[in-house]
Amino acid sequence: MRTDSSPGNLPAREHLPAGDAGTPVLDVVIPVYNEEKDLQPCVLRLHEHLKRTFPYAFRITIADNASTDTTPQVAARLEAEIAEVSNFRLEQKGRGRALRTVWSASDAPILAYMDVDLSTDLNALLPLVAPLISGHSDLAIGSRLARSSRVVRGPKREFISRSYNLILRGSLQARFSDAQCGFKAIRRDVAQVLLPMVEDTGWFFDTEMLVIAERAGLRIHEVPVDWVDDPDSTVHIVKTATEDLKGVWRVGKALATGSLPLDRITRPFGDDPRDREIKDVPKGLARQLVGFCVVGGLSTLFYLLLYSVFRQFGGSQVANALALLVSAVANTAANRRLTFGVRGSGGAVRHQAQGLVVFGIGLALTSGSLAALNAASSNPAHSTELAVLIAANLAATVLRFLLFRAWVFPERRESTVVASHQPVNSPSSPTYATSTTSTAPQPQPQPFHAPLPTRTGGNHFSYDDQFRAGEAADRNWRDATMQLQPVRPTDTDPRDPR
């Protein structure tokens, strides 16, 4: 599917209104495991800061990851004493599982989390969520590696953190600077469609979520933070690093094979300023030209290298044909994925076959140029051959782009998305309906009714006896047919009895 013309499943971002009384705009989740010592000071300090500085209604949710000490009792006491505090108990460990479970049950349009040690200065909290409230960004992260950040930590953790982020940049082409800082926020409408694609339930959860969001074109806002290392941290560095590297390999493989349905979380066409139509400029042409030029430059270098190698073992015509054949296959694959945004294996063989036809045209141009050179000079210098080939390849490149755009990867008309705020399956249902030129009835996805966490007894979360918290969340998020609803700040959760 062509991602540059896909309408996506997310509505356009809008500024959230001030909000109705009793409906929190922000839900801050604090995942904990055996934190009986630090939990109460953390919650009290965070609550006081939000009461004093945050202009919207908020909630603080304690996500207990199957703690075995007195953490559940401390959380229950805080919930009873502070109206804005909720307590959520999971019977399975995993920070990612806790965040996914609580975020799935929250009715707040902005979801955030922070570590219980409060290593990050809380003054960065409002700048973190402000771009999400205003509609400017989809996710926001605190960065300890930004130029203006002020960080106090040992050389060992500094080295590990920077090395990890370099690995992400080199292997997954990540552009965000800090994947592991425990200080992040996301819009609820984005979370509803992004989190089902995130498999990890542990510490790699953050990285996987950010990589997928970035690859889908969502906007990630970075906030420089002041951060002080917690010397009593219980994170096992070696074990966590090993799991993270396994996650990097898994996500990289999924991105390379196109198995992630990134089109599901793209914004509507036109929400990105780069997608706006410009007079007399075909849609997407500028972006495709840049991608094609980059791929073409690299392909030319690859071709010249191959030609120089093959020339040592045969004549110029044979070397040119072999080098052009190998580089053409690589060029078609690269342009298919990077320039024209085609993901998955569907149509790959046909695209390569068409690419070989384009290759034949390029071969005719370059071979003809070599034939003309040999006719003019019986023994031309190697540098002269390369110069002639470069000129011929430039002409072939222009023709190749035109054929790729018009024939191999033509622009497809995608169905349009209509966002709606009406109940599902109602006569005026505004679900994300598609309009196509076909008159045949389109199958409608059925809503998924796996039980989600419900609140009973004030702010306390509980589960149906048939499901554990982590199991229900995993089943819910891994279902690809779940019915998605657009989120409004004034919406309330129908499961919420309050």
Side-chain angles (χ1 to χ4, degrees):
M1 181 176 290
R2 291 284 299 279
T3 58
D4 55 357
S5 61
S6 172
N9 279 344
L10 292 176
R13 291 185 295 263
E14 295 181 356
H15 194 298
L16 298 178
D20 297 335
T23 303
V25 171
L26 173 66
D27 193 348
V28 182
V29 180
I30 305 175
V32 293
Y33 174 73
N34 290 348
E35 298 287 355
E36 58 184 1
K37 177 181 177 182
D38 295 331
L39 180 56
Q40 180 168 326
C42 165
V43 172
L44 294 178
R45 180 181 165 193
L46 175 60
H47 180 264
E48 187 277 332
H49 178 84
L50 289 171
K51 274 287 190 181
R52 178 169 49 87
T53 65
F54 194 68
Y56 296 88
F58 65 88
R59 179 193 301 126
I60 300 172
T61 302
I62 303 169
D64 179 14
N65 293 261
S67 294
T68 57
D69 60 1
T70 61
T71 296
Q73 289 74 25
V74 176
R77 184 170 65 251
L78 290 169
E79 178 186 41
E81 295 175 354
I82 305 175
E84 291 83 7
V85 175
S86 297
N87 178 25
F88 194 97
R89 169 75 177 183
L90 291 93
E91 299 302 331
Q92 293 174 286
K93 292 180 61 177
R95 184 182 67 167
R97 176 181 287 107
L99 292 176
R100 187 172 62 182
T101 304
V102 176
W103 281 353
S104 71
S106 179
D107 56 358
I110 304 299
L111 311 169
Y113 95 89
M114 61 182 61
D115 292 335
V116 69
D117 56 16
L118 293 185
S119 295
T120 304
D121 182 28
L122 291 178
N123 287 325
L125 182 56
L126 185 55
L128 182 80
V129 300
L132 309 185
I133 294 174
S134 68
H136 175 271
S137 301
D138 299 295
L139 301 92
I141 64 174
S143 175
R144 299 164 295 183
L145 303 179
R147 289 183 179 274
S148 57
S149 298
R150 295 180 295 181
V151 177
V152 178
R153 61 178 168 182
K156 179 180 179 181
R157 284 183 175 268
E158 181 76 11
F159 174 78
I160 292 175
S161 179
R162 291 188 178 274
S163 299
Y164 180 66
N165 283 282
L166 285 175
I167 291 174
L168 294 182
R169 288 176 176 270
S171 59
L172 300 179
Q173 289 80 51
R175 294 189 299 273
F176 48 84
S177 64
D178 192 350
Q180 295 176 306
C181 182
F183 196 72
K184 295 181 176 68
I186 185 173
R187 288 176 64 101
R188 180 184 171 222
D189 56 345
V190 176
Q192 285 182 322
V193 290
L194 173 60
L195 296 185
M197 302 182 190
V198 181
E199 295 184 15
D200 192 79
T201 58
W203 292 96
F204 187 69
F205 173 87
D206 305 51
T207 301
E208 186 170 359
M209 178 180 67
L210 291 174
V211 169
I212 295 175
E214 186 176 71
R215 286 299 186 94
L218 299 184
R219 180 175 292 160
I220 301 175
H221 179 76
E222 295 197 22
V223 178
V225 297
D226 297 339
W227 193 85
V228 179
D229 189 15
D230 178 15
D232 298 325
S233 174
T234 58
V235 177
H236 300 285
I237 296 178
V238 176
K239 180 181 178 181
T240 301
T242 302
E243 295 298 323
D244 286 348
L245 292 177
K246 291 180 180 178
V248 169
W249 170 260
R250 174 175 53 81
V251 173
K253 181 180 178 181
L255 292 172
T257 58
S259 61
L260 284 172
L262 298 181
D263 287 347
R264 293 183 184 178
I265 52 176
T266 55
R267 285 291 181 185
F269 187 83
D271 190 52
D272 189 332
R274 296 171 299 178
D275 291 330
R276 294 174 184 169
E277 295 186 7
I278 303 175
K279 185 178 180 181
D280 299 327
V281 177
K283 185 188 303 181
L285 177 60
R287 202 185 314 175
Q288 292 175 0
L289 276 173
V290 172
F292 186 81
C293 289
V294 172
V295 173
L298 295 176
S299 297
T300 300
L301 294 177
F302 184 49
Y303 161 79
L304 293 175
L305 175 63
L306 291 175
Y307 177 82
S308 299
V309 173
F310 293 148
R311 189 66 174 85
Q312 305 298 320
F313 306 98
S316 60
Q317 293 288 3
V318 174
N320 173 65
L322 291 176
L324 196 57
L325 175 62
V326 176
S327 61
V329 173
N331 180 276
T332 301
N335 276 304
R336 180 179 187 271
R337 175 66 178 83
L338 301 176
T339 303
F340 298 96
V342 181
R343 295 185 173 91
S345 57
V349 176
R350 175 174 57 84
H351 293 154
Q352 283 292 349
Q354 292 173 313
L356 289 177
V357 174
V358 178
F359 149 76
I361 297 175
L363 178 62
L365 284 174
T366 54
S367 297
S369 301
L370 282 176
L373 175 63
N374 290 328
S377 176
S378 59
N379 189 23
H382 182 65
S383 59
T384 305
E385 286 184 346
L386 291 180
V388 170
L389 287 174
I390 291 174
N393 268 283
L394 288 176
T397 297
V398 175
L399 182 60
R400 186 184 303 119
F401 176 76
L402 296 177
L403 289 175
F404 273 176
R405 180 175 172 83
W407 180 48
V408 183
F409 308 108
E411 190 74 24
R412 293 180 176 86
R413 296 288 183 181
E414 299 286 348
S415 56
T416 58
V417 170
V418 180
S420 134
H421 299 298
Q422 299 297 330
V424 179
N425 297 330
S426 68
S428 58
S429 173
T431 56
Y432 297 110
T434 59
S435 59
T436 64
T437 56
S438 173
T439 58
Q442 300 295 322
Q444 297 296 325
Q446 298 299 318
F448 183 70
H449 297 294
L452 286 175
T454 58
R455 297 185 181 90
T456 58
N459 292 328
H460 188 73
F461 289 94
S462 64
Y463 264 97
D464 188 281
D465 293 338
Q466 300 179 21
F467 294 91
R468 291 186 176 183
E471 295 171 350
D474 288 344
R475 293 181 186 181
N476 180 21
W477 286 120
R478 288 175 183 172
D479 187 89
T481 63
M482 63 182 296
Q483 184 72 33
L484 302 178
Q485 292 284 344
V487 176
R488 294 177 296 169
T490 56
D491 284 346
T492 57
D493 193 334
R495 301 181 298 275
D496 192 342
R498 293 184 300 171

PDB file of all heavy atoms in Angstrom, residues 210-234:
ATOM      1  N   LEU A 210       8.018   4.371  20.147  1.00  0.00           N
ATOM      2  CA  LEU A 210       8.548   5.563  19.482  1.00  0.00           C
ATOM      3  C   LEU A 210       8.994   5.263  18.050  1.00  0.00           C
ATOM      4  O   LEU A 210       8.763   6.068  17.142  1.00  0.00           O
ATOM      5  CB  LEU A 210       9.725   6.120  20.288  1.00  0.00           C
ATOM      6  CG  LEU A 210       9.381   6.739  21.642  1.00  0.00           C
ATOM      7  CD1 LEU A 210      10.663   7.111  22.390  1.00  0.00           C
ATOM      8  CD2 LEU A 210       8.488   7.954  21.476  1.00  0.00           C
ATOM      9  N   VAL A 211       9.646   4.128  17.836  1.00  0.00           N
ATOM     10  CA  VAL A 211      10.119   3.787  16.494  1.00  0.00           C
ATOM     11  C   VAL A 211       8.944   3.624  15.542  1.00  0.00           C
ATOM     12  O   VAL A 211       8.947   4.152  14.413  1.00  0.00           O
ATOM     13  CB  VAL A 211      10.972   2.507  16.527  1.00  0.00           C
ATOM     14  CG1 VAL A 211      11.239   2.009  15.119  1.00  0.00           C
ATOM     15  CG2 VAL A 211      12.295   2.771  17.238  1.00  0.00           C
ATOM     16  N   ILE A 212       7.910   2.909  15.973  1.00  0.00           N
ATOM     17  CA  ILE A 212       6.747   2.707  15.112  1.00  0.00           C
ATOM     18  C   ILE A 212       6.064   4.035  14.823  1.00  0.00           C
ATOM     19  O   ILE A 212       5.677   4.322  13.677  1.00  0.00           O
ATOM     20  CB  ILE A 212       5.764   1.715  15.762  1.00  0.00           C
ATOM     21  CG1 ILE A 212       6.404   0.332  15.875  1.00  0.00           C
ATOM     22  CG2 ILE A 212       4.473   1.637  14.965  1.00  0.00           C
ATOM     23  CD1 ILE A 212       5.559  -0.679  16.609  1.00  0.00           C
ATOM     24  N   ALA A 213       5.916   4.866  15.849  1.00  0.00           N
ATOM     25  CA  ALA A 213       5.270   6.166  15.658  1.00  0.00           C
ATOM     26  C   ALA A 213       6.056   7.035  14.685  1.00  0.00           C
ATOM     27  O   ALA A 213       5.484   7.683  13.801  1.00  0.00           O
ATOM     28  CB  ALA A 213       5.118   6.872  17.005  1.00  0.00           C
ATOM     29  N   GLU A 214       7.365   7.040  14.825  1.00  0.00           N
ATOM     30  CA  GLU A 214       8.191   7.863  13.950  1.00  0.00           C
ATOM     31  C   GLU A 214       8.141   7.355  12.516  1.00  0.00           C
ATOM     32  O   GLU A 214       8.037   8.150  11.563  1.00  0.00           O
ATOM     33  CB  GLU A 214       9.631   7.859  14.461  1.00  0.00           C
ATOM     34  CG  GLU A 214      10.544   8.803  13.711  1.00  0.00           C
ATOM     35  CD  GLU A 214      11.935   8.826  14.322  1.00  0.00           C
ATOM     36  OE1 GLU A 214      12.660   7.811  14.178  1.00  0.00           O
ATOM     37  OE2 GLU A 214      12.303   9.830  14.941  1.00  0.00           O
ATOM     38  N   ARG A 215       8.188   6.037  12.323  1.00  0.00           N
ATOM     39  CA  ARG A 215       8.139   5.482  10.975  1.00  0.00           C
ATOM     40  C   ARG A 215       6.795   5.745  10.304  1.00  0.00           C
ATOM     41  O   ARG A 215       6.710   5.826   9.082  1.00  0.00           O
ATOM     42  CB  ARG A 215       8.408   3.984  11.016  1.00  0.00           C
ATOM     43  CG  ARG A 215       9.853   3.614  11.261  1.00  0.00           C
ATOM     44  CD  ARG A 215      10.758   4.160  10.148  1.00  0.00           C
ATOM     45  NE  ARG A 215      12.119   3.694  10.299  1.00  0.00           N
ATOM     46  CZ  ARG A 215      12.613   2.630   9.704  1.00  0.00           C
ATOM     47  NH1 ARG A 215      11.846   1.900   8.904  1.00  0.00           N
ATOM     48  NH2 ARG A 215      13.864   2.277   9.895  1.00  0.00           N
ATOM     49  N   ALA A 216       5.740   5.873  11.110  1.00  0.00           N
ATOM     50  CA  ALA A 216       4.414   6.148  10.552  1.00  0.00           C
ATOM     51  C   ALA A 216       4.209   7.634  10.269  1.00  0.00           C
ATOM     52  O   ALA A 216       3.170   8.014   9.735  1.00  0.00           O
ATOM     53  CB  ALA A 216       3.324   5.656  11.505  1.00  0.00           C
ATOM     54  N   GLY A 217       5.187   8.451  10.613  1.00  0.00           N
ATOM     55  CA  GLY A 217       5.082   9.871  10.328  1.00  0.00           C
ATOM     56  C   GLY A 217       4.427  10.692  11.412  1.00  0.00           C
ATOM     57  O   GLY A 217       4.093  11.866  11.190  1.00  0.00           O
ATOM     58  N   LEU A 218       4.221  10.118  12.607  1.00  0.00           N
ATOM     59  CA  LEU A 218       3.643  10.890  13.693  1.00  0.00           C
ATOM     60  C   LEU A 218       4.687  11.861  14.253  1.00  0.00           C
ATOM     61  O   LEU A 218       5.887  11.622  14.168  1.00  0.00           O
ATOM     62  CB  LEU A 218       3.143   9.961  14.801  1.00  0.00           C
ATOM     63  CG  LEU A 218       2.046   8.971  14.390  1.00  0.00           C
ATOM     64  CD1 LEU A 218       1.574   8.178  15.596  1.00  0.00           C
ATOM     65  CD2 LEU A 218       0.872   9.679  13.742  1.00  0.00           C
ATOM     66  N   ARG A 219       4.206  12.930  14.845  1.00  0.00           N
ATOM     67  CA  ARG A 219       5.118  13.967  15.338  1.00  0.00           C
ATOM     68  C   ARG A 219       5.464  13.704  16.797  1.00  0.00           C
ATOM     69  O   ARG A 219       4.589  13.578  17.647  1.00  0.00           O
ATOM     70  CB  ARG A 219       4.480  15.344  15.198  1.00  0.00           C
ATOM     71  CG  ARG A 219       5.364  16.483  15.689  1.00  0.00           C
ATOM     72  CD  ARG A 219       4.722  17.817  15.396  1.00  0.00           C
ATOM     73  NE  ARG A 219       4.687  18.067  13.959  1.00  0.00           N
ATOM     74  CZ  ARG A 219       3.858  18.937  13.384  1.00  0.00           C
ATOM     75  NH1 ARG A 219       2.984  19.593  14.111  1.00  0.00           N
ATOM     76  NH2 ARG A 219       3.895  19.119  12.081  1.00  0.00           N
ATOM     77  N   ILE A 220       6.760  13.632  17.077  1.00  0.00           N
ATOM     78  CA  ILE A 220       7.266  13.394  18.430  1.00  0.00           C
ATOM     79  C   ILE A 220       7.951  14.665  18.917  1.00  0.00           C
ATOM     80  O   ILE A 220       8.930  15.115  18.309  1.00  0.00           O
ATOM     81  CB  ILE A 220       8.247  12.208  18.462  1.00  0.00           C
ATOM     82  CG1 ILE A 220       7.557  10.932  17.949  1.00  0.00           C
ATOM     83  CG2 ILE A 220       8.779  11.990  19.871  1.00  0.00           C
ATOM     84  CD1 ILE A 220       8.493   9.744  17.826  1.00  0.00           C
ATOM     85  N   HIS A 221       7.445  15.222  20.002  1.00  0.00           N
ATOM     86  CA  HIS A 221       8.014  16.448  20.564  1.00  0.00           C
ATOM     87  C   HIS A 221       9.004  16.078  21.677  1.00  0.00           C
ATOM     88  O   HIS A 221       8.699  15.236  22.528  1.00  0.00           O
ATOM     89  CB  HIS A 221       6.893  17.325  21.138  1.00  0.00           C
ATOM     90  CG  HIS A 221       7.384  18.596  21.755  1.00  0.00           C
ATOM     91  ND1 HIS A 221       7.791  19.675  21.003  1.00  0.00           N
ATOM     92  CD2 HIS A 221       7.529  18.965  23.053  1.00  0.00           C
ATOM     93  CE1 HIS A 221       8.171  20.654  21.813  1.00  0.00           C
ATOM     94  NE2 HIS A 221       8.024  20.241  23.051  1.00  0.00           N
ATOM     95  N   GLU A 222      10.171  16.681  21.649  1.00  0.00           N
ATOM     96  CA  GLU A 222      11.192  16.406  22.660  1.00  0.00           C
ATOM     97  C   GLU A 222      11.355  17.612  23.592  1.00  0.00           C
ATOM     98  O   GLU A 222      11.431  18.751  23.125  1.00  0.00           O
ATOM     99  CB  GLU A 222      12.530  16.069  21.997  1.00  0.00           C
ATOM    100  CG  GLU A 222      12.488  14.784  21.196  1.00  0.00           C
ATOM    101  CD  GLU A 222      13.876  14.240  20.898  1.00  0.00           C
ATOM    102  OE1 GLU A 222      14.832  14.597  21.642  1.00  0.00           O
ATOM    103  OE2 GLU A 222      14.020  13.468  19.944  1.00  0.00           O
ATOM    104  N   VAL A 223      11.424  17.325  24.870  1.00  0.00           N
ATOM    105  CA  VAL A 223      11.562  18.364  25.883  1.00  0.00           C
ATOM    106  C   VAL A 223      12.883  18.155  26.627  1.00  0.00           C
ATOM    107  O   VAL A 223      13.087  17.092  27.231  1.00  0.00           O
ATOM    108  CB  VAL A 223      10.392  18.322  26.890  1.00  0.00           C
ATOM    109  CG1 VAL A 223      10.569  19.380  27.968  1.00  0.00           C
ATOM    110  CG2 VAL A 223       9.063  18.503  26.167  1.00  0.00           C
ATOM    111  N   PRO A 224      13.799  19.122  26.602  1.00  0.00           N
ATOM    112  CA  PRO A 224      15.013  18.996  27.417  1.00  0.00           C
ATOM    113  C   PRO A 224      14.642  18.957  28.898  1.00  0.00           C
ATOM    114  O   PRO A 224      13.783  19.723  29.351  1.00  0.00           O
ATOM    115  CB  PRO A 224      15.808  20.264  27.076  1.00  0.00           C
ATOM    116  CG  PRO A 224      15.205  20.766  25.793  1.00  0.00           C
ATOM    117  CD  PRO A 224      13.770  20.358  25.816  1.00  0.00           C
ATOM    118  N   VAL A 225      15.264  18.078  29.639  1.00  0.00           N
ATOM    119  CA  VAL A 225      14.906  17.914  31.046  1.00  0.00           C
ATOM    120  C   VAL A 225      16.147  18.033  31.927  1.00  0.00           C
ATOM    121  O   VAL A 225      17.283  17.839  31.480  1.00  0.00           O
ATOM    122  CB  VAL A 225      14.229  16.546  31.295  1.00  0.00           C
ATOM    123  CG1 VAL A 225      12.928  16.446  30.524  1.00  0.00           C
ATOM    124  CG2 VAL A 225      15.153  15.384  30.930  1.00  0.00           C
ATOM    125  N   ASP A 226      15.891  18.356  33.178  1.00  0.00           N
ATOM    126  CA  ASP A 226      16.911  18.265  34.217  1.00  0.00           C
ATOM    127  C   ASP A 226      16.719  16.926  34.914  1.00  0.00           C
ATOM    128  O   ASP A 226      15.612  16.606  35.365  1.00  0.00           O
ATOM    129  CB  ASP A 226      16.762  19.410  35.230  1.00  0.00           C
ATOM    130  CG  ASP A 226      16.968  20.775  34.575  1.00  0.00           C
ATOM    131  OD1 ASP A 226      17.596  20.817  33.502  1.00  0.00           O
ATOM    132  OD2 ASP A 226      16.491  21.781  35.128  1.00  0.00           O
ATOM    133  N   TRP A 227      17.779  16.143  34.993  1.00  0.00           N
ATOM    134  CA  TRP A 227      17.632  14.755  35.430  1.00  0.00           C
ATOM    135  C   TRP A 227      18.783  14.378  36.358  1.00  0.00           C
ATOM    136  O   TRP A 227      19.958  14.621  36.068  1.00  0.00           O
ATOM    137  CB  TRP A 227      17.627  13.844  34.202  1.00  0.00           C
ATOM    138  CG  TRP A 227      17.176  12.438  34.435  1.00  0.00           C
ATOM    139  CD1 TRP A 227      15.911  11.957  34.441  1.00  0.00           C
ATOM    140  CD2 TRP A 227      18.016  11.300  34.680  1.00  0.00           C
ATOM    141  NE1 TRP A 227      15.893  10.608  34.666  1.00  0.00           N
ATOM    142  CE2 TRP A 227      17.175  10.174  34.814  1.00  0.00           C
ATOM    143  CE3 TRP A 227      19.400  11.137  34.795  1.00  0.00           C
ATOM    144  CZ2 TRP A 227      17.677   8.897  35.064  1.00  0.00           C
ATOM    145  CZ3 TRP A 227      19.893   9.868  35.043  1.00  0.00           C
ATOM    146  CH2 TRP A 227      19.041   8.765  35.175  1.00  0.00           C
ATOM    147  N   VAL A 228      18.428  13.768  37.493  1.00  0.00           N
ATOM    148  CA  VAL A 228      19.421  13.325  38.478  1.00  0.00           C
ATOM    149  C   VAL A 228      19.276  11.824  38.651  1.00  0.00           C
ATOM    150  O   VAL A 228      18.179  11.322  38.938  1.00  0.00           O
ATOM    151  CB  VAL A 228      19.234  14.040  39.833  1.00  0.00           C
ATOM    152  CG1 VAL A 228      20.275  13.539  40.839  1.00  0.00           C
ATOM    153  CG2 VAL A 228      19.345  15.548  39.659  1.00  0.00           C
ATOM    154  N   ASP A 229      20.370  11.097  38.466  1.00  0.00           N
ATOM    155  CA  ASP A 229      20.348   9.644  38.539  1.00  0.00           C
ATOM    156  C   ASP A 229      19.958   9.175  39.938  1.00  0.00           C
ATOM    157  O   ASP A 229      20.345   9.769  40.949  1.00  0.00           O
ATOM    158  CB  ASP A 229      21.733   9.107  38.174  1.00  0.00           C
ATOM    159  CG  ASP A 229      21.737   7.596  38.022  1.00  0.00           C
ATOM    160  OD1 ASP A 229      20.638   7.012  37.921  1.00  0.00           O
ATOM    161  OD2 ASP A 229      22.833   7.013  37.991  1.00  0.00           O
ATOM    162  N   ASP A 230      19.174   8.110  39.980  1.00  0.00           N
ATOM    163  CA  ASP A 230      18.796   7.483  41.250  1.00  0.00           C
ATOM    164  C   ASP A 230      19.793   6.368  41.545  1.00  0.00           C
ATOM    165  O   ASP A 230      19.794   5.330  40.873  1.00  0.00           O
ATOM    166  CB  ASP A 230      17.377   6.925  41.152  1.00  0.00           C
ATOM    167  CG  ASP A 230      16.953   6.223  42.436  1.00  0.00           C
ATOM    168  OD1 ASP A 230      17.627   6.414  43.463  1.00  0.00           O
ATOM    169  OD2 ASP A 230      15.945   5.478  42.398  1.00  0.00           O
ATOM    170  N   PRO A 231      20.643   6.522  42.543  1.00  0.00           N
ATOM    171  CA  PRO A 231      21.650   5.488  42.817  1.00  0.00           C
ATOM    172  C   PRO A 231      21.054   4.185  43.322  1.00  0.00           C
ATOM    173  O   PRO A 231      21.706   3.144  43.277  1.00  0.00           O
ATOM    174  CB  PRO A 231      22.541   6.133  43.894  1.00  0.00           C
ATOM    175  CG  PRO A 231      21.650   7.144  44.551  1.00  0.00           C
ATOM    176  CD  PRO A 231      20.734   7.655  43.484  1.00  0.00           C
ATOM    177  N   ASP A 232      19.788   4.225  43.792  1.00  0.00           N
ATOM    178  CA  ASP A 232      19.150   3.019  44.321  1.00  0.00           C
ATOM    179  C   ASP A 232      18.251   2.339  43.288  1.00  0.00           C
ATOM    180  O   ASP A 232      17.392   1.537  43.638  1.00  0.00           O
ATOM    181  CB  ASP A 232      18.306   3.376  45.558  1.00  0.00           C
ATOM    182  CG  ASP A 232      19.161   3.943  46.687  1.00  0.00           C
ATOM    183  OD1 ASP A 232      20.304   3.480  46.835  1.00  0.00           O
ATOM    184  OD2 ASP A 232      18.688   4.850  47.396  1.00  0.00           O
ATOM    185  N   SER A 233      18.422   2.658  42.031  1.00  0.00           N
ATOM    186  CA  SER A 233      17.578   2.069  40.991  1.00  0.00           C
ATOM    187  C   SER A 233      17.725   0.547  40.987  1.00  0.00           C
ATOM    188  O   SER A 233      18.817   0.007  41.145  1.00  0.00           O
ATOM    189  CB  SER A 233      17.971   2.620  39.609  1.00  0.00           C
ATOM    190  OG  SER A 233      17.260   1.956  38.595  1.00  0.00           O
ATOM    191  N   THR A 234      16.571  -0.137  40.792  1.00  0.00           N
ATOM    192  CA  THR A 234      16.562  -1.605  40.805  1.00  0.00           C
ATOM    193  C   THR A 234      16.626  -2.207  39.407  1.00  0.00           C
ATOM    194  O   THR A 234      16.453  -3.405  39.236  1.00  0.00           O
ATOM    195  CB  THR A 234      15.287  -2.105  41.509  1.00  0.00           C
ATOM    196  OG1 THR A 234      14.142  -1.589  40.821  1.00  0.00           O
ATOM    197  CG2 THR A 234      15.255  -1.650  42.963  1.00  0.00           C
TER     198      THR A 234
END
